[in-house]
Amino acid sequence: MTDSAETHEGTGEIQHYLDGARLIDALTAHDPAALLVPAIAAVLRDLNLRVYPTSSDLSDYMVLDLHGASIAVQRRPDALYLHVDTTETADQRIAFEVNGCGEFDHDLF
């Protein structure tokens, strides 16, 4: 099983969690050649997905952990909310692009 649910500390919210290492084990259990591309296997092994369900007009709050960063997404009635957390990395800057409008840099300190 690759999905689990637990109560989020401090808020009491239910969190659903997908562990990448368990996912790749499940995908390859019956067919080890199922993931022939090593790059995909490496990404899946380091991937974590957390979903915090909501009961309001907001979408579920989804957090993807990859490359040492956490990227959160939530659809709101008036906007798409994105949150990036790099506190566990040594990154000094985030470079990002939205809808092909050019790259922007955001200094973190």
Side-chain angles (χ1 to χ4, degrees):
M1 180 142 156
T2 58
D3 180 34
S4 63
E6 59 187 51
T7 302
H8 187 262
E9 290 181 30
T11 65
E13 294 176 332
I14 297 296
Q15 163 189 296
H16 297 279
Y17 180 79
L18 175 69
D19 179 88
R22 289 176 52 198
L23 174 63
I24 198 167
D25 289 346
L27 290 172
T28 59
H30 300 291
D31 182 7
L35 294 171
L36 297 175
V37 180
I40 292 174
V43 167
L44 288 176
R45 193 170 286 112
D46 293 333
L47 172 117
N48 291 306
L49 175 65
R50 292 175 278 142
V51 179
Y52 300 90
T54 62
S55 58
S56 65
D57 59 348
L58 306 176
S59 73
D60 293 343
Y61 189 76
M62 293 173 260
V63 182
L64 177 67
D65 301 315
L66 190 60
H67 297 304
S70 295
I71 303 164
V73 179
Q74 184 177 51
R75 183 153 305 281
R76 297 177 175 175
D78 61 343
L80 178 67
Y81 173 75
L82 299 173
H83 174 85
V84 177
D85 184 333
T86 62
T87 56
E88 300 296 319
T89 72
D91 295 320
Q92 299 291 312
R93 176 178 298 139
I94 296 175
F96 65 96
E97 184 171 353
V98 178
N99 295 338
C101 293
E103 187 173 301
F104 297 92
D105 290 343
H106 181 75
D107 292 326
L108 300 175
F109 301 99

